[in-house]
Amino acid sequence: MNVLGIETSCDETGVALYSTERGLLGQALHSQIAMHERYGGVVPELASRDHVRRVLPLARQALEQAGLSLADLDAIAYTEGPGLAGALLVGAGIGASLAFALGVPAIGIHHLEGHLLSPLLSKDPPEFPFVALLVSGGHTQLMDVTGVGRYAFLGDTLDDAAGEAFDKSAKLLGLGYPGGPAIAALAAGGRPGRYALPRPMLHSGDLDFSFSGLKTAVLTAVKRGLPDDQARADLAAEVEAAIVDVLVAKALRALEQTGHRRLVVAGGVSANRRLREKLAQATERNGLRVHFPELHLCADNGAMIAFAGAQRLQAAAGSGPTAASTSAALPADGGAGSAAIDGFMVRPRWPLDSLPAL
Ligand code: KG4
Ligand code: ZN
């Protein structure tokens, strides 16, 4: 089965072609970072308009790379939510229309399910069950994952997400957007410890996170004055260390609590090198395993959406027409079947643990 995946939930337009027999065959991506940079964050209306311009050329590119044509597609998967409403509507509208024109099914996919399953696209994929640490610009969640669609919440952020903490701290340090890679680059020349930032809720005993206090502490340090470039680098290193320390501690606690032996980390922040190293060390020390997506699949992309779509469509083929549709189990007022080709919808807000299991 050849599935075209379309991702347009935020500031990346991603289109990819996944074959259930041959794996990832083609991938095309356009990042809007340069366009949003001057505003210090994503401007939703600009994002939507740019997605409109990009989706079809990127689809052509992905098909060309795969050596396939539209007639070879068996299904279209698009991001149905969560994300920016206007941006989501572009991918959903084009995805559903294309599917209608080709006479193939369209399926709406949960963006975070895409991230969560993306490590399964790697050469050494994790087996279920596992603990998932989802760390993106908008989410910091720990989940108990026992299968596709079987996601139980273990912990969540009470305020800012981990990526948001990176982004806001970067802004305070006068760095560009997105802040995660900028902080990481500056931190490479610095040492944590010179500035003492809080590790919020490190000892709270539960699996929740809070990062807004960190931002306030960074602001205080910046206001006191950073004498030179080394001071800025040391503060960036401390920001990164503080966020990573909390993520590592809570992820380990989640493993202990569930008894699972595997940790899967996904979302934009999973690209962070310090996080990867610290989690690798901590899990190894405890005889556990950690899995990450391949680096090119950490940020938003079409491949993870195509892959999640393929999982659900394959399961549906085996167990009835709508069983795998992400929306099938949702109420009629908000669940007008994303697998139907006579309409589509988006869900800017959509809890991950409300998806139907396969
Ligand atoms: O998953 P993602 O691409 O988009 C969302 O769905 O939010 O995540 C974007 C987030 C941003 O906050 C960005 O600063 C962060 O991921 N990020 C990083 C790194 N690369 C991206 N944070 C820390 N270190 C990185 N290397
Ligand atoms: Zn994302």
Side-chain angles (χ1 to χ4, degrees), residues 66-118:
L68 297 177
S69 68
L70 283 175
D72 298 314
L73 296 181
D74 299 301
I76 314 266
Y78 59 85
T79 306
E80 184 173 321
L84 303 170
L88 289 166
L89 277 168
V90 177
I94 295 178
S97 314
L98 203 53
F100 181 71
L102 297 172
V104 300
I107 182 165
I109 292 298
H110 195 294
H111 179 80
L112 292 177
E113 176 168 74
H115 275 304
L116 197 152
L117 298 179
S118 64

Side-chain angles (χ1 to χ4, degrees), residues 308-355:
Q311 300 302 302
R312 290 194 167 271
L313 288 161
Q314 257 185 327
S319 61
T322 54
S325 164
T326 0
S327 301
L330 292 161
D333 59 350
S338 55
I341 53 172
D342 57 350
F344 63 88
M345 62 173 302
V346 296
R347 298 170 198 275
R349 288 174 177 276
W350 191 8
L352 183 56
D353 61 352
S354 67
L355 299 188

Side-chain angles (χ1 to χ4, degrees), residues 147-213:
V148 178
R150 298 178 188 276
Y151 314 129
F153 271 110
L154 296 170
D156 206 340
T157 182
L158 306 179
D159 40 58
D160 293 352
E164 207 174 348
F166 272 109
D167 294 339
K168 288 181 175 171
S169 301
K171 221 171 188 173
L172 293 171
L173 275 161
L175 300 170
Y177 159 87
I183 293 265
L186 185 58
R191 279 228 315 262
R194 173 169 171 186
Y195 295 94
L197 295 177
R199 270 65 172 159
M201 296 180 69
L202 189 63
H203 304 293
S204 63
D206 58 19
L207 296 171
D208 289 328
F209 303 87
S210 164
F211 288 108
S212 66

Side-chain angles (χ1 to χ4, degrees), residues 14 75 85 100 106 122 140 188 199 231 236 242 250 258 280-281 286 300 316 325 339 355:
F100 181 71
S122 59
T140 306
R199 270 65 172 159
K250 298 271 171 161
T258 55
Q281 288 164 7
N286 291 283
D300 294 347
S325 164
L355 299 188

